[in-house]
Each structure stands twice: as structure tokens, then as C-alpha cells.
Amino acid sequence: MTKLRIQLARGEVLFREGEDPGTAFLIESGEIEVRTRQRGRDVLLSVLGPGELVGEMAVIDESPRTATARALDDCVLFAIDRHQIAERLAATDPIIRSLLEGQLKRYRGALAALQGKQAAPDALSPSERLGISRIRLEAQLREALAEGQLELSLQPLLDVPLGRIAGYEALVRWDHPERGPISAAEFVALAEETSLIVPVGEYVIDTACLAIARLVAAGADPSPFVAVNVSARQMAHPGVIERIVARVDAAGLPRGSLKLEITESGVLDYGLAAGLIELCHRHGIRVALDDFGTGYANLCHLHRLPFDTIKVDQSFSHDMLDSPRAMAIVESAVRLGRALGAEIVVEGIETPEQLQALRRLGCRYAQGYLVGRPQTLAQLLAHPWDPARLV
């Protein structure tokens, strides 16, 4: 087992060029010089002191040591095991990992040239390929956003007691020129890793406002709402609600025309979310908790945040006619919403029997393929919703 604390006397070698790397080292005290051989000459590469790492590059890319490290004076170092570094790298963003591996590869090539050696073949590792593909996809997403290549689909929500469409959920789509349709789960998650989610979100809001205006102009009565998803990164962006309100006002729409949906998250900032919901209520905008019943501490979300709507995940509605437990959960969610003064939307309704069960329970809204599949605005205008599809 590698000793965690290592003491070196002045002149003692820590590792030699050509050795297999098993450990990197954190210098606690003293100084370490790193040298290599260049065409028969001894070349100093660096002098490292307390708080600096030595030998980590060979551990990261699992290559033989390319230099020799020696103590300039009495030193104390901590050993950093390769598995410890590997765990950190595995949890790192793949784009960052790709950039790091690329930098190491260039360093190895430059050092090989310095030593008069042949550089290793410049083959991409699997993690480099993954990172580069994500960098490329992010660049293409920026281009798609700038050139208006994203498309908004609208999935209807049924007012169960009244038997008519009350509103729609906005779903953003991207038809990639090379890969074809890319799932929103993939590219929205990519956008959420950067500030790109902010302009994507604003595109969705602008397009949703336009859709509502067009539907009203086409005779939709009463005026429908459109629910748009808001990510944690969007919530943290200054002025997000004010910009939403400004867009609704600019479109000449009632404030309640847009609803915001917050997806359950283990990292939901309650203070931030509570402030956002309060500001929304002040401006007449209602807020929903999406995918209730999955993931994280959802009851805690309802206890601490005054959501206006609770959307029950489709995993329960799919089984509720065959599973008494699933039915009990849906029924309990409806009663819970009523007790909290929140409206309930049950997702994943695909059969008339499931819809009839929601009527018996007194559920306000239903969403799913029985009510309607996601469609573009042009498709909705060309083919008005027909209540006969519910039978």
C-alpha cells in the first residue's frame, strides 16, 4: 500500500523518466525540480513548491513518466492515488475532460519533439470523442438558435369537467441537419450546462406568445394558456420573470396566458424558487410543479412552495386501471391538490377509460395522446381539435 505521507531528503529522487505512474503527489513543504533529457543534455522543465502537484499528468493519461523529479531540499509530500484521480475525472464534465486530454496530448507531443523522440499517434480517446461531439453539438445548437431552426410543438391539456381544451404545453424540438430529430432531453440538458438555456428559454416564450395570439385570432374561446418549462439555471438568471412579463405585455395578452412549469430537482433552491413564485403571482402568472411523484422530495416541494398546479407523472396514470396502488396514488394526488388549493394535471392519458377515471376522481386537467399529440401551430390551426377523439 502506498504511504500517504512521503518524506524526501535533499537530492532524493521521487520518480524517474520511463517509470510507470501509479501515484501523483501534492507538495506539502520543500521544492521539487523536474528535469528531462534533450539530445544528451539535461533540461530543467520546472521547479514546484508547496501546494502544487507533481506527476499528475502521467497518472491522468496513464503514460510512462516523461521526466525525473528530484527533491531540491527536504520535502514532505502527500501521495494522490491514481484511482482517486480517476474517480474525479469520471465525474467531470465530458467537455472539460476532452479539453484536458487534448492539452495533455499536445504537451506530450511538444516534449517528445524537445527530446528528439517520435510523438505518439494522435488518436482520439473515447472520452475525447464524446467531449468533442458535445462541443460540436453545442456550437450547432447556437447556430440553430440564431437561424431559427428550433421548432415549438404544443400538446393540448383538456379541461376534464368542461370537455374542452384549456391550454397547451410548449415542447421545443430540434431537427438536426445531420442527425435528424434530437430529443429535447439531450439538447435542453446541454443548454442547461451553459448560459445557452437563457436564449433557448426566451425563444420558447416568444414563440408561445405568438402561438396564443394566433390561436385567439383563429377563434379559440376562451383564450388558451401555454405552459413553458423553466430550468433552475433560468430561475437563477436576473430579471427572468420581468422579461417574461414584458413579452406577454408586448404581445397584448393577459398575464395568465403563460404558465411556468418547474421540473422536480434534487438541487431545487427553495429560496430562489419561492421568490420566483411570489413574483409570478404578483404579475398574475401561475406556476406548476412538473413530474410530481418522481425523483426527489416532492412532498417537501409542496410543503415549502405555493404551486398553483401539480402535474402527476404519467408513470402512475399508465397503470392506474390495473394497479390499485397506482390508482390510490392518483386519487391521493387529486385530494392533496384540492386540499392545497392547487389544480391537478394527470399526464399520460391514452384511453377513454383512463379519462373516465379522472372524471370520477374530480381531476381538473388531463394530458396525453388521447387528448392530443404535440403539434406545430400550423398543424393546430389547420386541424382544429375535435372532442369526438375522446370517445
Side-chain angles (χ1 to χ4, degrees), residues 148-163:
Q149 295 174 2
L150 299 183
E151 187 175 65
L152 198 71
S153 293
L154 300 169
Q155 185 171 23
L157 279 80
L158 177 72
D159 187 317
V160 175
L162 298 179

PDB file of all heavy atoms in Angstrom, residues 148-163:
ATOM      1  N   GLY A 148     -33.036  30.328 -36.301  1.00  0.00           N
ATOM      2  CA  GLY A 148     -34.442  29.976 -36.182  1.00  0.00           C
ATOM      3  C   GLY A 148     -34.766  28.557 -36.566  1.00  0.00           C
ATOM      4  O   GLY A 148     -35.856  28.284 -37.107  1.00  0.00           O
ATOM      5  N   GLN A 149     -33.861  27.621 -36.304  1.00  0.00           N
ATOM      6  CA  GLN A 149     -34.081  26.227 -36.692  1.00  0.00           C
ATOM      7  C   GLN A 149     -34.805  25.413 -35.621  1.00  0.00           C
ATOM      8  O   GLN A 149     -35.206  24.281 -35.879  1.00  0.00           O
ATOM      9  CB  GLN A 149     -32.742  25.563 -37.023  1.00  0.00           C
ATOM     10  CG  GLN A 149     -32.039  26.155 -38.229  1.00  0.00           C
ATOM     11  CD  GLN A 149     -30.648  25.564 -38.440  1.00  0.00           C
ATOM     12  OE1 GLN A 149     -30.210  24.686 -37.701  1.00  0.00           O
ATOM     13  NE2 GLN A 149     -29.950  26.051 -39.457  1.00  0.00           N
ATOM     14  N   LEU A 150     -34.956  25.962 -34.412  1.00  0.00           N
ATOM     15  CA  LEU A 150     -35.721  25.265 -33.390  1.00  0.00           C
ATOM     16  C   LEU A 150     -37.211  25.423 -33.701  1.00  0.00           C
ATOM     17  O   LEU A 150     -37.629  26.399 -34.317  1.00  0.00           O
ATOM     18  CB  LEU A 150     -35.415  25.822 -32.005  1.00  0.00           C
ATOM     19  CG  LEU A 150     -33.967  25.703 -31.526  1.00  0.00           C
ATOM     20  CD1 LEU A 150     -33.840  26.229 -30.106  1.00  0.00           C
ATOM     21  CD2 LEU A 150     -33.469  24.278 -31.614  1.00  0.00           C
ATOM     22  N   GLU A 151     -37.998  24.451 -33.268  1.00  0.00           N
ATOM     23  CA  GLU A 151     -39.431  24.464 -33.552  1.00  0.00           C
ATOM     24  C   GLU A 151     -40.198  24.169 -32.276  1.00  0.00           C
ATOM     25  O   GLU A 151     -39.776  23.348 -31.452  1.00  0.00           O
ATOM     26  CB  GLU A 151     -39.759  23.423 -34.617  1.00  0.00           C
ATOM     27  CG  GLU A 151     -41.194  23.466 -35.097  1.00  0.00           C
ATOM     28  CD  GLU A 151     -41.432  22.501 -36.246  1.00  0.00           C
ATOM     29  OE1 GLU A 151     -41.303  21.277 -36.005  1.00  0.00           O
ATOM     30  OE2 GLU A 151     -41.708  22.951 -37.366  1.00  0.00           O
ATOM     31  N   LEU A 152     -41.311  24.848 -32.125  1.00  0.00           N
ATOM     32  CA  LEU A 152     -42.133  24.655 -30.935  1.00  0.00           C
ATOM     33  C   LEU A 152     -43.352  23.817 -31.287  1.00  0.00           C
ATOM     34  O   LEU A 152     -44.066  24.106 -32.255  1.00  0.00           O
ATOM     35  CB  LEU A 152     -42.580  26.007 -30.374  1.00  0.00           C
ATOM     36  CG  LEU A 152     -43.061  25.984 -28.920  1.00  0.00           C
ATOM     37  CD1 LEU A 152     -41.872  25.749 -27.993  1.00  0.00           C
ATOM     38  CD2 LEU A 152     -43.756  27.291 -28.565  1.00  0.00           C
ATOM     39  N   SER A 153     -43.562  22.761 -30.499  1.00  0.00           N
ATOM     40  CA  SER A 153     -44.779  21.968 -30.614  1.00  0.00           C
ATOM     41  C   SER A 153     -45.649  22.249 -29.397  1.00  0.00           C
ATOM     42  O   SER A 153     -45.142  22.601 -28.322  1.00  0.00           O
ATOM     43  CB  SER A 153     -44.456  20.477 -30.693  1.00  0.00           C
ATOM     44  OG  SER A 153     -43.790  20.172 -31.902  1.00  0.00           O
ATOM     45  N   LEU A 154     -46.952  22.089 -29.574  1.00  0.00           N
ATOM     46  CA  LEU A 154     -47.905  22.372 -28.496  1.00  0.00           C
ATOM     47  C   LEU A 154     -48.751  21.130 -28.254  1.00  0.00           C
ATOM     48  O   LEU A 154     -49.382  20.607 -29.182  1.00  0.00           O
ATOM     49  CB  LEU A 154     -48.809  23.543 -28.885  1.00  0.00           C
ATOM     50  CG  LEU A 154     -48.096  24.869 -29.168  1.00  0.00           C
ATOM     51  CD1 LEU A 154     -49.051  25.864 -29.792  1.00  0.00           C
ATOM     52  CD2 LEU A 154     -47.501  25.432 -27.888  1.00  0.00           C
ATOM     53  N   GLN A 155     -48.737  20.641 -27.003  1.00  0.00           N
ATOM     54  CA  GLN A 155     -49.573  19.488 -26.660  1.00  0.00           C
ATOM     55  C   GLN A 155     -50.747  19.961 -25.817  1.00  0.00           C
ATOM     56  O   GLN A 155     -50.569  20.636 -24.799  1.00  0.00           O
ATOM     57  CB  GLN A 155     -48.778  18.432 -25.898  1.00  0.00           C
ATOM     58  CG  GLN A 155     -49.612  17.172 -25.633  1.00  0.00           C
ATOM     59  CD  GLN A 155     -48.808  16.025 -25.072  1.00  0.00           C
ATOM     60  OE1 GLN A 155     -47.754  16.230 -24.481  1.00  0.00           O
ATOM     61  NE2 GLN A 155     -49.309  14.801 -25.243  1.00  0.00           N
ATOM     62  N   PRO A 156     -51.985  19.617 -26.224  1.00  0.00           N
ATOM     63  CA  PRO A 156     -53.165  20.167 -25.538  1.00  0.00           C
ATOM     64  C   PRO A 156     -53.393  19.578 -24.154  1.00  0.00           C
ATOM     65  O   PRO A 156     -53.049  18.432 -23.876  1.00  0.00           O
ATOM     66  CB  PRO A 156     -54.310  19.800 -26.486  1.00  0.00           C
ATOM     67  CG  PRO A 156     -53.823  18.608 -27.235  1.00  0.00           C
ATOM     68  CD  PRO A 156     -52.344  18.787 -27.382  1.00  0.00           C
ATOM     69  N   LEU A 157     -53.990  20.405 -23.298  1.00  0.00           N
ATOM     70  CA  LEU A 157     -54.445  19.993 -21.973  1.00  0.00           C
ATOM     71  C   LEU A 157     -55.958  20.125 -21.943  1.00  0.00           C
ATOM     72  O   LEU A 157     -56.511  21.187 -22.281  1.00  0.00           O
ATOM     73  CB  LEU A 157     -53.836  20.855 -20.868  1.00  0.00           C
ATOM     74  CG  LEU A 157     -52.412  20.505 -20.422  1.00  0.00           C
ATOM     75  CD1 LEU A 157     -51.393  21.067 -21.407  1.00  0.00           C
ATOM     76  CD2 LEU A 157     -52.136  21.059 -19.023  1.00  0.00           C
ATOM     77  N   LEU A 158     -56.644  19.073 -21.551  1.00  0.00           N
ATOM     78  CA  LEU A 158     -58.101  19.032 -21.534  1.00  0.00           C
ATOM     79  C   LEU A 158     -58.634  19.488 -20.184  1.00  0.00           C
ATOM     80  O   LEU A 158     -58.179  19.035 -19.127  1.00  0.00           O
ATOM     81  CB  LEU A 158     -58.572  17.602 -21.801  1.00  0.00           C
ATOM     82  CG  LEU A 158     -60.084  17.372 -21.751  1.00  0.00           C
ATOM     83  CD1 LEU A 158     -60.765  17.991 -22.968  1.00  0.00           C
ATOM     84  CD2 LEU A 158     -60.385  15.872 -21.662  1.00  0.00           C
ATOM     85  N   ASP A 159     -59.596  20.406 -20.213  1.00  0.00           N
ATOM     86  CA  ASP A 159     -60.372  20.727 -19.022  1.00  0.00           C
ATOM     87  C   ASP A 159     -61.401  19.595 -18.877  1.00  0.00           C
ATOM     88  O   ASP A 159     -62.370  19.519 -19.630  1.00  0.00           O
ATOM     89  CB  ASP A 159     -61.063  22.086 -19.198  1.00  0.00           C
ATOM     90  CG  ASP A 159     -61.755  22.549 -17.924  1.00  0.00           C
ATOM     91  OD1 ASP A 159     -62.415  21.714 -17.267  1.00  0.00           O
ATOM     92  OD2 ASP A 159     -61.644  23.746 -17.586  1.00  0.00           O
ATOM     93  N   VAL A 160     -61.148  18.697 -17.932  1.00  0.00           N
ATOM     94  CA  VAL A 160     -61.945  17.460 -17.842  1.00  0.00           C
ATOM     95  C   VAL A 160     -63.418  17.743 -17.585  1.00  0.00           C
ATOM     96  O   VAL A 160     -64.291  17.206 -18.291  1.00  0.00           O
ATOM     97  CB  VAL A 160     -61.335  16.518 -16.777  1.00  0.00           C
ATOM     98  CG1 VAL A 160     -62.221  15.276 -16.592  1.00  0.00           C
ATOM     99  CG2 VAL A 160     -59.925  16.108 -17.173  1.00  0.00           C
ATOM    100  N   PRO A 161     -63.784  18.571 -16.588  1.00  0.00           N
ATOM    101  CA  PRO A 161     -65.217  18.792 -16.349  1.00  0.00           C
ATOM    102  C   PRO A 161     -65.935  19.451 -17.524  1.00  0.00           C
ATOM    103  O   PRO A 161     -67.096  19.132 -17.808  1.00  0.00           O
ATOM    104  CB  PRO A 161     -65.225  19.721 -15.119  1.00  0.00           C
ATOM    105  CG  PRO A 161     -63.911  19.512 -14.465  1.00  0.00           C
ATOM    106  CD  PRO A 161     -62.950  19.236 -15.578  1.00  0.00           C
ATOM    107  N   LEU A 162     -65.257  20.366 -18.245  1.00  0.00           N
ATOM    108  CA  LEU A 162     -65.904  21.098 -19.327  1.00  0.00           C
ATOM    109  C   LEU A 162     -65.763  20.411 -20.681  1.00  0.00           C
ATOM    110  O   LEU A 162     -66.453  20.774 -21.644  1.00  0.00           O
ATOM    111  CB  LEU A 162     -65.336  22.523 -19.407  1.00  0.00           C
ATOM    112  CG  LEU A 162     -65.556  23.398 -18.169  1.00  0.00           C
ATOM    113  CD1 LEU A 162     -64.936  24.769 -18.371  1.00  0.00           C
ATOM    114  CD2 LEU A 162     -67.049  23.529 -17.854  1.00  0.00           C
ATOM    115  N   GLY A 163     -64.843  19.457 -20.789  1.00  0.00           N
ATOM    116  CA  GLY A 163     -64.676  18.724 -22.039  1.00  0.00           C
ATOM    117  C   GLY A 163     -64.125  19.560 -23.182  1.00  0.00           C
ATOM    118  O   GLY A 163     -64.454  19.309 -24.344  1.00  0.00           O
TER     119      GLY A 163
END
